[in-house]
């Protein structure tokens, strides 16, 4: 029992601390892939709970319920213009399952909404409310995604309007394409009903079709909604996993609807409401978990040595700061292309979390400055001042003097001599190293 407990603690320490000290340069091949997957899963779970995504899913559930009828009315309005509204209705009936009475009520509300927006004084108010509802729910989704992607700035109002409504315009066409594919496979299945090879293959592809559509929708969400550059492979992997989880949960939900009909005698038509709210909330949890997974897969390298960076010693901090300054200054002197954070980390095998912290500090103290990188959108770094004045002492003095010193402790008599002693020590050290320029090291 003691050995089992010991193994459990060793595994916990490995996945929380030790594995983050293993870089892509240390392990390659299959073991490197396994470590990458394990890091991605651990980081996703950690950030899911730290970010309180279940609470964010509750907020998105509220906005979804609030905007459900306007959203569906908008989609039905678009589909009706192209003669595809029947496909949308059939799709909803097929996906929702046994709640036929509830769907009839929803369809009636949608028809009433669309009728009232056709004319009269209500038209302007109705259209404004519809657009506001759509913008509100998508803004909340984008804000949640941007928080996952670490505080990316939201889109402008114009970009929100164009991006969100462009995405909504695609929904009826995706559903129509899905219906057309389903009809085609059913036709093939009927045509080759007696063929023992083709018929099972068609049936398998037909049952697999909802997964493909779901994967496509989830992948598009993770690619388009965050206001940042998301790599397709990360969005696709997250879309496949989250889409599969959604399809499995949907089957459980359909079964739960059948089970809940036993309680209709008590709750009547209200029996569908708790299940609907639960369905929407868990769906949002799956969506947000997938977004977290796509972020973790793309950014897992940023968290290597994270706990060590927080505990870095002062002398090692100074060592890395001078090393990075030397890299940037040497390339500047040779007229070479400036490097980005990822390029410095990759070429010189430095943890990107450490490079990011130190480069940010060197920019704050005026040693380095941001510039355009070799790739469009990348930020690279170059010297902010004349390289002929950046000595080791100059850099360390800038770093050590950065920040607030307005605490007046040094004015007290019992501490004044300590303050003077440290200032003299720093002055002597600065004089000794003042002639050592980083460009000459």
């Amino acid at each position: 029992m003691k050995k089992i407990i010991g193994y459990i603690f060793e595994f916990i320490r490995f996945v929380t601390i030790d594995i983050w000290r293993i870089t892509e340069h240390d392990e390659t091949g299959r073991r490197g892939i396994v470590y990458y997957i394990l890091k991605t899963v651990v980081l996703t779970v950690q950030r899911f709970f730290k970010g309180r995504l279940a609470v964010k899913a509750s907020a998105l559930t509220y906005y979804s319920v609030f905007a459900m009828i306007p959203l569906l009315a908008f989609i039905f309005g678009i589909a009706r213009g192209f003669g595809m509204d029947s496909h949308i209705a059939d799709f909803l009936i097929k996906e929702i399952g046994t709640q036929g009475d509830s769907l009839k009520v929803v369809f009636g509300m949608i028809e009433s909404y669309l009728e009232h927006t056709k004319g009269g004084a209500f038209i302007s108010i109705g259209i404004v409310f519809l657009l506001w509802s759509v913008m509100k729910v998508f803004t909340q989704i984008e804000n949640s995604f941007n928080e996952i992607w670490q505080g990316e700035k939201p889109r402008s109002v114009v970009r929100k309007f164009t991006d969100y409504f462009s995405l909504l315009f695609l929904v009826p066409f995706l559903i129509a394409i899905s219906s057309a594919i389903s009809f085609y496979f059913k036709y093939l299945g009927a045509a080759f009903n007696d063929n023992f090879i083709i018929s099972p293959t068609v049936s398998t592809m037909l049952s697999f079709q909802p997964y493909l559509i779901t994967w496509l929708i989830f992948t598009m969400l993770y690619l388009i909604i965050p206001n940042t550059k998301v790599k397709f492979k990360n969005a696709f992997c997250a879309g496949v996993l989250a889409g599969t989880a959604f399809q499995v949960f949907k089957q459980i939900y359909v079964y739960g609807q059948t089970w809940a009909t036993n309680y209709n005698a008590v709750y009547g038509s209200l029996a569908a409401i708790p299940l609907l709210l639960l369905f929407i909330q868990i769906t949002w949890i799956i969506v947000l978990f997938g977004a977290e997974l796509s972020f973790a897969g793309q950014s897992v390298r940023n968290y290597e040595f994270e706990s060590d960076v927080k505990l870095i010693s002062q002398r090692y901090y100074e060592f890395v700061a001078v090393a990075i300054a030397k890299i940037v200054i040497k390339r500047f002197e040779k007229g070479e292309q400036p490097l980005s954070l990822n390029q410095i980390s990759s070429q010189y095998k430095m943890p990107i979390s450490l490079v990011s912290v130190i480069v940010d500090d060197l920019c704050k103290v005026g040693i380095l400055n941001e510039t355009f990188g070799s790739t469009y959108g990348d930020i690279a770094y170059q010297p902010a001042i004349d390289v002929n004045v950046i000595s080791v002492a100059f850099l360390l003095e800038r770093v050590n003097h950065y920040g607030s010193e307005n605490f007046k402790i040094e004015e007290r008599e019992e501490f004044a001599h300590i303050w003077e002693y440290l200032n003299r020590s720093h002055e002597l050290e600065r004089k000794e190293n003042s002639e050592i320029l980083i460009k000459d090291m």
Side-chain angles (χ1 to χ4, degrees):
M1 196 64 186
K2 288 182 179 179
K3 285 185 178 180
I4 293 173
I5 294 173
Y7 290 144
I8 292 173
F9 278 105
E10 284 182 13
F11 178 76
I12 292 172
R13 175 180 172 80
F14 177 74
V15 297
T16 55
I17 298 176
D18 295 337
I19 195 174
W20 300 102
R21 292 171 176 165
I22 302 172
T23 67
E24 59 183 359
H25 307 292
D26 300 325
E27 294 290 350
T28 56
R30 293 181 180 178
R31 181 174 290 186
I33 295 173
V34 171
Y35 284 161
Y36 169 77
I37 294 173
L38 188 56
K39 285 179 184 179
T40 302
V41 172
V42 170
L43 181 60
T44 301
V45 173
Q46 286 178 342
R47 284 176 51 84
F48 180 85
F49 288 106
K50 286 182 180 178
R52 303 176 67 197
L53 294 189
V55 177
K56 290 183 174 66
S58 299
L60 288 171
T61 300
Y62 165 77
Y63 284 106
S64 300
V65 172
F66 182 76
M68 182 183 299
I69 300 302
L71 270 172
L72 289 175
F74 187 85
I75 293 171
F76 266 87
I78 297 170
R80 184 166 296 177
F82 292 94
M84 297 186 297
D85 50 331
S86 60
H87 294 294
I88 307 294
D90 293 340
F91 177 81
L92 288 176
I93 292 171
K94 180 182 176 182
E95 291 297 310
I96 299 299
T98 61
Q99 298 295 329
D101 295 336
S102 301
L103 278 177
K104 288 180 182 178
V105 174
V106 171
F107 290 155
M109 294 173 69
I110 292 171
E111 286 296 328
S112 176
Y113 197 99
L114 291 175
E115 286 295 326
H116 279 82
T117 55
K118 284 183 178 179
F122 185 78
I123 184 169
S124 58
I125 300 173
I127 292 175
V128 168
F129 181 75
L130 186 147
L131 296 178
W132 179 83
S133 301
V134 173
M135 290 283 287
K136 188 68 176 176
V137 69
F138 271 99
T139 299
Q140 291 300 319
I141 298 170
E142 183 187 343
N143 290 341
S144 299
F145 277 35
N146 285 342
E147 285 184 25
I148 289 172
W149 286 89
Q150 296 188 331
E152 293 290 338
K153 294 181 180 179
R155 291 171 171 84
S156 64
V157 176
V158 175
R159 276 204 60 199
K160 283 182 179 180
F161 189 86
T162 55
D163 291 354
Y164 297 165
F165 288 99
S166 298
L167 192 61
L168 281 177
F169 268 103
L170 290 175
V171 172
F173 294 99
L174 286 175
I175 294 174
I177 292 170
S178 173
S179 299
I181 293 173
S182 178
F183 176 79
Y184 177 72
F185 281 129
K186 286 179 180 177
Y187 170 77
L188 283 180
F192 296 95
N193 191 34
D194 296 330
N195 192 303
F196 68 95
I197 296 177
I198 298 179
S199 182
T201 304
V202 171
S203 299
T204 303
M205 295 180 70
L206 191 61
S207 63
F208 199 63
Q209 180 212 352
Y211 286 87
L212 293 174
I213 299 298
T214 307
W215 293 348
L216 177 61
I217 293 172
F218 274 71
T219 301
M220 288 175 61
L221 275 177
Y222 300 142
L223 274 174
I224 297 172
I225 297 297
N227 190 26
T228 188
K229 185 179 179 180
V230 182
K231 295 180 180 177
F232 177 79
K233 65 176 182 179
N234 299 109
F236 178 73
C237 290
V240 169
L241 292 173
T244 304
F246 171 76
Q247 285 292 332
V248 171
F249 170 67
K250 191 187 73 175
Q251 297 300 321
I252 297 172
Y253 172 71
V254 171
Y255 173 77
Q257 285 180 322
T258 307
W259 173 77
T261 54
N262 299 326
Y263 296 91
N264 282 348
V266 178
Y267 293 101
S269 60
L270 294 177
I273 295 177
L275 276 176
L276 176 62
L277 292 175
L278 182 65
F279 174 78
I280 295 173
Q281 178 161 2
I282 296 180
T283 298
W284 279 122
I285 289 175
I286 293 171
V287 170
L288 293 178
F289 189 87
E292 196 70 76
L293 187 64
S294 65
F295 168 81
Q298 185 167 320
S299 310
V300 68
R301 286 186 61 240
N302 297 347
Y303 291 84
E304 292 173 350
F305 293 93
E306 185 183 25
S307 58
D308 294 290
V309 170
K310 293 177 181 178
L311 300 174
I312 188 170
S313 67
Q314 182 63 27
R315 69 169 187 161
Y316 208 87
Y317 175 93
E318 292 176 355
F319 158 67
V320 179
V322 173
I324 291 175
K326 176 188 172 183
I327 293 169
V328 174
I329 291 171
K330 287 283 189 182
R331 294 186 66 87
F332 180 79
E333 273 207 311
K334 294 177 182 178
E336 296 175 344
Q337 186 72 33
L339 299 179
S340 64
L341 293 177
N342 285 321
Q343 289 170 330
I344 294 173
S345 171
S346 178
Q347 290 187 27
Y348 297 94
K349 297 182 180 180
M350 297 181 181
I352 193 168
S353 55
L354 180 59
V355 173
S356 177
V357 169
I358 291 180
V359 167
D360 185 55
D361 289 346
L362 292 178
C363 288
K364 289 177 181 177
V365 300
I367 300 295
L368 302 183
N369 202 8
E370 294 181 353
T371 187
F372 295 108
S374 55
T375 306
Y376 176 77
D378 274 358
I379 296 175
Y381 297 89
Q382 65 182 8
I385 54 177
D386 185 1
V387 297
N388 294 305
V389 301
I390 307 178
S391 64
V392 175
F394 181 84
L395 185 149
L396 297 181
E397 185 178 18
R398 283 279 184 102
V399 170
N400 289 329
H401 284 73
Y402 179 77
S404 177
E405 295 181 348
N406 190 27
F407 302 102
K408 300 182 180 180
I409 300 174
E410 76 281 1
E411 296 179 2
R412 297 176 60 178
E413 186 177 349
E414 60 265 41
F415 301 129
H417 64 287
I418 299 176
W419 181 249
E420 292 175 4
Y421 173 78
L422 290 175
N423 282 333
R424 284 198 304 271
S425 298
H426 290 153
E427 183 65 23
L428 289 172
E429 184 178 354
R430 189 185 68 80
K431 287 181 179 179
E432 290 178 3
N433 296 324
S434 60
E435 295 181 359
I436 305 175
L437 295 176
I438 293 179
K439 72 183 185 71
D440 297 328
M441 295 181 70

